[in-house]
Amino acid sequence: KLLIKIEDLERAADGSGGVTDDLLRKELKDAKIALVDKNREVENYKSKLETLENEIQVHRSRIVELEQELEETSTVSRLQVEELEDEKKALQGRLKGERLDLSSKLAQRDETITSLQQELARYRGNSEFEELAVIRDELYQAKSELQTATKELESTQKLLTKVKGEKEDLLERNNKLNADVKRLEKS
């Protein structure tokens, strides 16, 4: 619009419009100043637009970096979860083995006690002193075996408690890692 106005003023200055030369020159000068101001404004907008486009590019680069970081973190978390699952299975197998071992030891102890009780009942019917001494010795031996079995049972129970604690710790750690993975997947 300013260019058209300038052209109109230049034509009018040629003498065809009847307006004085000074007035036309002043209007022409004002129009040229306005045009220069508009050109500066356009350059400012171009500069701001270029700055914004650069910022957008920087943000896009950062987004790509963050996406790569998230992918790497997810991969590490998956590997940690798999490792914990393997460890959990190994501990469960070990616990099962300990339970079976404990059960067999308890069954052996019960059999020994039953056998000794039967022998004791047999010897009770016989009142000879020597048989009583033998029975007493066997009874002491049975008590000793019973104490040993009891100590083994206590030791095994402590191990069982420890393994249960480790299992709970691993499950807690697994749950935490799963929560971290979910959080990372959401963000």
Side-chain angles (χ1 to χ4, degrees), residues 40-163:
R40 283 187 190 140
E41 236 179 273
V42 167
E43 289 301 318
N44 270 345
Y45 285 127
K46 283 182 182 178
S47 175
K48 287 179 183 178
L49 180 62
E50 189 176 305
T51 302
L52 289 175
E53 286 175 348
N54 288 339
E55 285 180 19
I56 288 171
Q57 188 59 37
V58 167
H59 290 298
R60 284 183 180 156
S61 297
R62 181 66 180 143
I63 287 171
V64 168
E65 288 174 17
L66 289 173
E67 286 173 345
Q68 288 174 346
E69 256 182 64
L70 179 62
E71 183 61 32
E72 289 170 4
T73 303
S74 296
T75 301
V76 168
S77 295
R78 278 193 297 269
L79 292 175
Q80 287 174 340
V81 168
E82 289 173 6
E83 183 180 313
L84 286 173
E85 287 294 327
D86 292 344
E87 202 172 318
K88 176 183 157 187
K89 287 177 185 176
L91 285 173
Q92 285 174 338
R94 193 168 119 200
L95 180 62
K96 185 177 180 181
E98 290 292 329
R99 284 181 182 163
L100 291 174
D101 188 42
L102 178 62
S103 295
S104 72
K105 285 182 181 181
L106 289 175
Q108 286 176 350
R109 185 190 72 181
D110 290 343
E111 288 175 13
T112 303
I113 290 171
T114 303
S115 171
L116 290 174
Q117 285 174 343
Q118 289 172 353
E119 282 186 45
L120 184 60
R122 227 182 18 206
Y123 286 118
R124 281 187 182 159
N126 198 345
S127 64
E128 292 183 17
F129 181 74
E130 290 179 10
E131 292 176 355
L132 289 175
V134 169
I135 291 172
R136 187 180 310 132
D137 290 342
E138 289 178 353
L139 184 59
Y140 286 126
Q141 184 181 2
K143 283 182 180 180
S144 174
E145 289 177 5
L146 181 61
Q147 288 175 349
T148 303
T150 303
K151 287 179 182 177
E152 289 178 3
L153 174 63
E154 290 173 357
S155 173
T156 304
Q157 285 176 338
K158 287 178 183 177
L159 178 62
L160 179 62
T161 303
K162 180 183 174 186
V163 169

